[in-house]
Every structure is written in structure tokens, then in C-alpha cells.
Amino acid sequence: MAIKTNQMPFKESFSEFYTKVKSSLDDGTFAKLTLAKTIGNSELMNIYVRPIMDDALLKLELKFKFQQEEIIEIHTIENAFPRLLEFINNPFLSAILFTTEFDLTYKLNKKRAVSLVEQFPTFGNANEVLLEYLATKK
């Protein structure tokens, strides 16, 4: 388990974190990405991210989970970054990248200092069957 604390502004540090997301998509270890731990009582509770095929291209489905509804957006891998960045620090204080090699948690504390915590992987597979299964559980 590695803990790395970073005094970079959260936008720069989230960019570093998202590089790991893209790497896991490239090397086939990506399982899922979740934005969680909101500030206060937010209507938006989570954002779940998973890869999908759209027009024969690998893209990302962003599922915005609100208290009363869900909204789905489809983005290219590059365009998903600025869309997700809008929600870091408002309302989300954490993002968790689940891969078959490790889980990486991006956290902002009350002073908005960033920490990255690497842990043992939650998921052993990143195959299509698992992704389909996870989609049905959301």
C-alpha cells in the first residue's frame, strides 16, 4: 500500500490520476472508476465510469447517480477528463480507479491537499462479462 500526498492544485493532480485511468484502459486492466464522497448533502451521489463500444470506438459511459434519477453521458476518453474534473472538489472529494493490478484512490482532504492511496485490487478480471454484469448492478 503506497500513500502519496501532493500539494499540487487538485486540477493538476487529477490530471495525473486520469493518466492512470487511460493507462489502465490501454493495457486492459481497467475494471471501473467511481467518483464518490460528496461535500454536504448533494443531489448528485456518485458518478460511475465504464468503457463501452460506440461506433466501433472505445468510449466512456458516465452514469450520474442522483438521489431520484440517473443520467448517462457518452464521451471519448479524452473528453471525459474535463467533464469529470468539473465534479472534483464540487461535490466529490474522492475518485477510485479499480484495475486488476491495484485500486487507486484519489482523495481531497478538508484543506484540499491531495493524497493518492494504492491498495490491493478489488477486481480480478476486467473482461466484458464482468463489465456487463457490473452495468446491470448499477
Side-chain angles (χ1 to χ4, degrees):
M1 181 186 315
I3 298 177
K4 178 179 163 188
T5 302
N6 197 330
Q7 294 302 321
M8 265 195 281
F10 68 86
K11 290 179 182 178
E12 291 176 37
S13 58
F14 189 71
S15 179
E16 276 187 18
F17 173 81
Y18 198 73
T19 298
K20 300 275 189 191
V21 172
K22 291 191 295 187
S23 294
S24 71
L25 287 165
D26 287 342
D27 65 23
T29 62
F30 182 95
K32 70 177 185 172
L33 172 65
T34 302
L35 274 64
K37 196 170 182 185
T38 60
I39 300 167
N41 186 13
S42 171
E43 278 291 312
L44 180 58
M45 297 167 25
N46 297 90
I47 300 174
Y48 300 108
V49 180
R50 68 181 188 101
I52 62 163
M53 293 301 292
D54 184 42
D55 295 329
L57 296 173
L58 183 66
K59 293 187 179 179
L60 294 177
E61 175 187 278
L62 282 54
K63 184 183 289 188
F64 295 82
K65 177 92 168 97
F66 292 90
Q67 291 181 10
Q68 300 294 324
E69 67 178 328
E70 293 180 352
I71 297 173
I72 293 175
E73 295 179 3
I74 308 297
H75 293 276
T76 64
I77 294 167
E78 290 302 320
N79 290 342
F81 171 74
R83 185 66 176 130
L84 292 171
L85 183 59
E86 293 175 41
F87 298 95
I88 295 297
N89 192 41
N90 186 22
F92 297 109
L93 295 178
S94 73
I96 306 168
L97 169 62
F98 297 94
T99 75
T100 58
E101 295 177 342
F102 57 84
D103 292 353
L104 184 62
T105 303
Y106 174 95
K107 290 184 185 175
L108 288 171
N109 68 15
K110 290 180 181 176
K111 295 181 180 180
R112 301 306 184 253
V114 174
S115 65
L116 293 172
V117 179
E118 189 173 306
Q119 296 177 302
F120 290 107
T122 300
F123 296 98
N125 295 317
N127 62 37
E128 290 178 35
V129 172
L130 175 61
L131 293 175
E132 290 171 6
Y133 171 77
L134 291 174
T136 64
K137 294 296 175 189
K138 304 270 184 262

